[in-house]
Amino acid sequence: MDQKNAALLFVIRFLVCLIFVSSVVQAQLRPAFYLGSCFGAESIVRETVQNAVESNPETAAGLIRMHFHDCFVNGCDGSVLIDSTTGNQAEKDSFVNNPSLHGFEVIDAAKQALETKCPGIVSCADILAFAARDSVAALGGPRWPIRSGRRDGLVSRSSDVLSNIPAPTFNLQQLTQNFNNKGLSQEDMITLSGAHTIGVSHCSSFTNRLYNFNSTTQQDPLLDNDFANKLKAQCPNGNPNPNTVVEMDSLTPFLFDNSYYSDVRFGRGLFTSDEALITDPNTKQQVQANSAFTQFPWRFKFPLAMIRMSEIGVLTGQQGEIRKNCHVINS
Ligand code: HEM
Ligand SMILES: *[C@@H]1O[C@H](CO)[C@@H](O)[C@H](O)[C@H]1NC(C)=O
């Protein structure tokens, strides 16, 4: 082979390699995925979320929890946004999500604005990941970069929800196992539980701790007594109003800070699963560290754990689809 041919062969091999590598790279999440295809997509979501949270700060909690519930059931593929149809009860209609999950109208507003600007480009799964991040920032929490390029899933079954979303009655071992199943560590679980620094809960998620705790004690001994009395007044024994909601962090309910960890330390964690974080010396130590007045290290750790959560089981490349309407699978 002469030199010219060898050089040509080299160039061809190089190009083939480049095409192969770029196709592999394309099939992964990457920063600023929409830079070329829908410039300003993330800003549109951010403005939509900021407006929504400004007019109703409760919206932020809805969106953060929605992203968590999307990611833990079939990966972060926007499946939580899909409506039920005749013959298929979707994730959002599991009792775990309905009626407590909210904020869908914010995703719709962002999607609509994006479809007007660049039709068929930005996935519902990415919009939800951006919206959760922007909700944290809108309430004074940290902000972080998100790798995007998630594609929308084609499956949403309500029967998948209960077995994948941790229950508020879980103990430390069950919580750790549940997060490990999703590729997240116990430390991630402790860090992400800090999201309970905002938002509300219905009585049914914690009345197990107030009445008939077990055969020897009525009330969970890990509960602060004043806090328990307050909860009992809001959620009376027997049939509390199913619409009553209780703030999870009554001190700063609309501030995305680290006060959750002080709540947990002092017996004001709302769920068994919150108070479970102090039932082991190692996890208790983390709770204490995260409760520091300076908000560090938690404020550093939270974004990193959110990034890991937001990349669970994502669809990329040619997988799934870009839904036109977040409520329905494209026909
Ligand atoms: C560690 C295991 C977790 C358990 C057992 C749990 C359980 C719950 C429960 C039972 C509620 C109240 C639902 C209701 O009755 O209305 C709730 C609310 C909430 N959860 Fe969690 N959660 C966990 C982790 C997380 C994570 C990882 C996040 C996000 C990163 C999160 C964010 C939220 C938010 C923001 C709310 C308030 C929702 C609202 O105000 O509408 N949770 N959680
Ligand atoms: C009831 O709960 C208390 C406090 O957690 C515990 O010490 C006790 O062993 C429990 N009793 C039974 C019968 O489970």
Side-chain angles (χ1 to χ4, degrees):
M1 197 168 9
D2 64 26
Q3 266 192 341
K4 227 169 149 189
N5 273 343
L8 192 64
L9 199 63
F10 176 80
V11 170
I12 289 168
R13 280 189 183 146
F14 179 77
L15 288 177
V16 167
C17 258
L18 203 69
I19 289 162
F20 178 75
V21 167
S22 69
S23 72
V24 168
V25 167
Q26 244 173 20
Q28 284 178 4
L29 300 180
R30 55 184 158 87
F33 183 83
Y34 298 108
L35 195 64
S37 58
C38 188
F39 184 76
E42 292 193 39
S43 316
I44 288 182
V45 177
R46 188 178 62 234
E47 275 156 31
T48 309
V49 169
Q50 277 172 349
N51 288 338
V53 173
E54 218 165 276
S55 62
N56 178 10
E58 290 166 11
T59 312
L63 292 170
I64 296 164
R65 182 166 181 246
M66 194 188 290
H67 182 45
F68 164 49
H69 284 205
D70 186 27
C71 293
F72 268 53
V73 182
N74 265 316
C76 313
D77 65 347
S79 53
V80 73
L81 303 168
I82 293 175
D83 284 350
S84 295
T85 55
T86 31
N88 182 55
Q89 193 177 40
E91 288 173 29
K92 63 160 65 155
D93 288 322
S94 156
F95 79 90
V96 176
N97 290 332
N98 187 352
S100 59
L101 215 57
H102 60 101
F104 295 102
E105 72 286 352
V106 183
I107 303 301
D108 293 341
K111 178 62 170 173
Q112 205 173 2
L114 288 166
E115 284 300 294
T116 307
K117 188 179 151 69
C118 22
I121 301 291
V122 185
S123 70
C124 299
D126 274 344
I127 294 174
L128 183 49
F130 296 147
R133 180 260 314 263
D134 298 335
S135 296
V136 170
L139 294 187
R143 214 188 135 75
W144 57 91
I146 288 185
R147 301 200 304 155
S148 41
R150 290 167 191 75
R151 309 261 304 172
D152 294 324
L154 305 173
V155 177
S156 178
R157 282 185 299 248
S158 85
S159 56
D160 289 337
V161 177
L162 186 60
S163 54
N164 285 289
I165 297 294
T169 51
F170 273 12
N171 63 28
L172 184 62
Q173 194 248 320
Q174 292 169 306
L175 291 167
T176 304
Q177 186 61 57
N178 174 272
F179 275 65
N180 285 349
N181 291 346
K182 303 294 164 191
L184 299 179
S185 67
Q186 184 184 65
E187 189 172 346
D188 289 331
M189 186 273 290
I190 296 167
T191 305
L192 290 170
S193 293
H196 289 171
T197 185
I198 58 165
V200 296
S201 168
H202 293 77
C203 296
S204 53
S205 302
F206 56 86
T207 41
N208 66 304
R209 307 181 67 199
L210 305 176
Y211 313 106
N212 309 315
F213 182 67
N214 69 19
S215 57
T216 50
T217 173
Q218 289 283 304
Q219 185 178 309
D220 186 340
L222 289 174
L223 267 177
D224 170 78
N225 211 39
D226 288 345
F227 183 63
N229 287 335
K230 205 186 95 181
L231 295 178
K232 283 175 178 166
Q234 286 168 289
C235 305
N237 197 2
N239 56 343
N241 184 336
N243 301 318
T244 299
V245 288
V246 172
E247 278 161 352
M248 296 210 274
D249 172 25
S250 50
L251 282 173
T252 51
F254 296 117
L255 203 56
F256 207 93
D257 59 3
N258 65 337
S259 54
Y260 166 80
Y261 297 99
S262 315
D263 289 336
V264 169
R265 275 181 75 178
F266 300 114
R268 298 186 306 261
L270 198 49
F271 307 135
T272 301
S273 60
D274 295 320
E275 225 52 70
L277 305 188
I278 57 164
T279 55
D280 160 274
N282 174 277
T283 60
K284 185 176 182 173
Q285 199 277 326
Q286 286 184 53
V287 169
Q288 276 167 355
N290 285 345
S291 76
F293 179 68
T294 56
Q295 292 207 42
F296 292 94
W298 174 77
R299 221 179 147 90
F300 266 141
K301 286 161 62 169
F302 188 77
L304 297 173
M306 277 299 275
I307 289 170
R308 281 191 282 276
M309 184 180 93
S310 76
E311 298 187 357
I312 296 171
V314 292
L315 304 175
T316 55
Q318 300 303 309
Q319 298 170 310
E321 63 179 12
I322 304 297
R323 245 176 261 148
K324 292 195 192 77
N325 170 348
C326 295
H327 292 257
V328 289
I329 293 163
N330 295 347
S331 49

